[in-house]
Amino acid sequence: MESPQYLLRDIPLEDRPRERMMSYGEESLSHAELLAILLRTGTRDESAVHLAARILQQVGSIRQLVDMSIEELTAIRGIGTAKAIQIKAGIELGRRIARTGREEARIVRSPKDAADFLMEQMRYLQKEHFVCLFLNTKNHIISQETLSMGSLNASIVHPREVFRAAIKCSSASVICAHNHPSGDPTPSPEDVALTRRLVEAGQLIGIEVLDHLVIGDTRFVSLKEQGLM
C-alpha cells in the first residue's frame, strides 16, 4: 500500500504557510512558502514546503523558474504535470499583474514608456526574447507579440516576421525590444545591424520602426537615443 502524500496540514501549525500568511501577511512568507502554497501537496517523502525548498535549491533561484517550460519543470523529481501547470499559471498571473496599469500606460510617448511597459515581463528571462510593440497612429499599443526566443547569447529574427505581424494588426509603427539575460543592456554590433535592417525594411513598407530597446535588469538602452538607427 502506497504512503499518502504529505499535505500542508501535516506540517506543525506555526510552520504552515497558509496560516502564516493569514496571521502575518504574504510579505512575511519566504519564496519556498509561497511556492508551497501553489504546489498544495508534497510527495510521499516530503511536505509541500520541503518540496518547494528543494525545487528552488535545484533550479538556483526563484528567477530561474520564470523561463522554465512545463517539460523542464516536470523533469524535477516531485513535479508532475498538474504542479508544473500551477507554477506556470502563478508566474503568468504575476507577469500580467506587473504589466497591468492605467490605460495611459499603453500610450508610448518616450522610450522609457515602452521600457516601463516591458521591463517586468522581460528582465528575468533566461533566454533572449525578441518582442514587438505595435502602435496605431496615436502611439497607443494595440498589440504585442514575441517573435523569437533565442539562446543565452543570440536572438534571431527576420524583418519579414516583424512586418507580417505589423500588417496583420494594421499597425502604423513598431517598437522592437529584446532582453539581455546577463542584465547588461549594452547593444551588441549584431543588435545594431539588425535594427538598421528593420528600419530599412520599414521604410520600404511604410511602417516606421520607432525604436529598438535592449532590456537589462532594471536598465534599458534605446538605440534611437544612442543614435544607432
Side-chain angles (χ1 to χ4, degrees):
M1 183 175 178
E2 292 184 350
S3 302
Q5 289 184 323
Y6 281 103
L7 305 176
L8 288 176
R9 65 171 177 266
D10 298 322
I11 303 172
L13 183 60
E14 64 274 13
D15 294 331
R16 295 182 197 172
R18 291 175 187 166
E19 282 73 10
R20 280 174 39 75
M21 179 183 284
M22 292 177 65
S23 298
Y24 306 111
E26 58 271 23
E27 298 88 354
S28 68
L29 270 62
S30 67
H31 294 338
E33 288 171 321
L34 290 170
L35 182 57
I37 291 174
L38 285 177
L39 294 172
R40 297 183 59 236
T41 61
T43 68
R44 297 174 192 150
D45 303 316
E46 56 192 347
S47 69
V49 174
H50 291 148
L51 172 60
R54 178 169 59 78
I55 291 167
L56 293 178
Q57 183 178 30
Q58 185 170 335
V59 302
S61 72
I62 196 76
R63 291 179 58 167
Q64 303 298 115
L65 286 174
V66 174
D67 207 30
M68 293 183 73
S69 66
I70 288 176
E71 291 74 18
E72 288 171 326
L73 287 168
T74 54
I76 298 173
R77 181 171 58 85
I79 300 184
T81 302
K83 282 183 168 58
I85 289 171
Q86 286 161 203
I87 292 170
K88 293 292 289 181
I91 290 169
E92 180 59 24
L93 184 61
R95 277 177 168 162
R96 294 186 185 189
I97 290 170
R99 68 175 179 250
T100 299
R102 297 173 300 168
E103 186 61 27
E104 294 81 38
R106 295 184 64 88
I107 302 174
V108 178
R109 300 184 179 89
S110 68
K112 185 177 184 302
D113 289 340
D116 286 346
F117 186 82
L118 292 168
M119 182 65 71
E120 289 306 311
Q121 303 174 49
M122 300 185 70
R123 59 182 288 208
Y124 297 123
L125 298 173
Q126 299 303 305
K127 295 179 181 178
E128 283 199 4
H129 288 55
F130 188 93
V131 175
C132 286
L133 298 178
F134 301 107
L135 285 67
N136 63 15
T137 55
K138 295 184 178 180
N139 281 4
H140 286 80
I141 299 171
I142 57 175
S143 183
Q144 173 184 335
E145 191 164 342
T146 299
L147 297 178
S148 171
M149 289 185 289
S151 67
L152 282 174
N153 302 311
S155 180
I156 301 171
V157 66
H158 195 281
R160 67 171 171 263
E161 297 166 339
V162 173
F163 294 105
R164 183 189 297 126
I167 292 168
K168 183 173 66 176
C169 64
S170 301
S171 174
S173 58
V174 181
I175 294 175
C176 302
H178 77 280
N179 62 301
H180 279 180
S182 66
D184 179 0
T186 303
S188 68
E190 293 79 12
D191 295 339
V192 176
L194 172 61
T195 303
R196 290 174 176 164
R197 286 177 63 207
L198 290 170
V199 170
E200 291 171 3
Q203 289 170 344
L204 290 173
I205 294 172
I207 298 175
E208 184 180 5
V209 177
L210 297 178
D211 207 342
H212 183 178
L213 306 178
V214 184
I215 305 292
D217 190 354
T218 71
R219 298 180 293 154
F220 76 95
V221 169
S222 158
L223 271 71
K224 178 109 181 231
E225 288 184 334
Q226 295 293 314
L228 296 174
M229 58 181 293

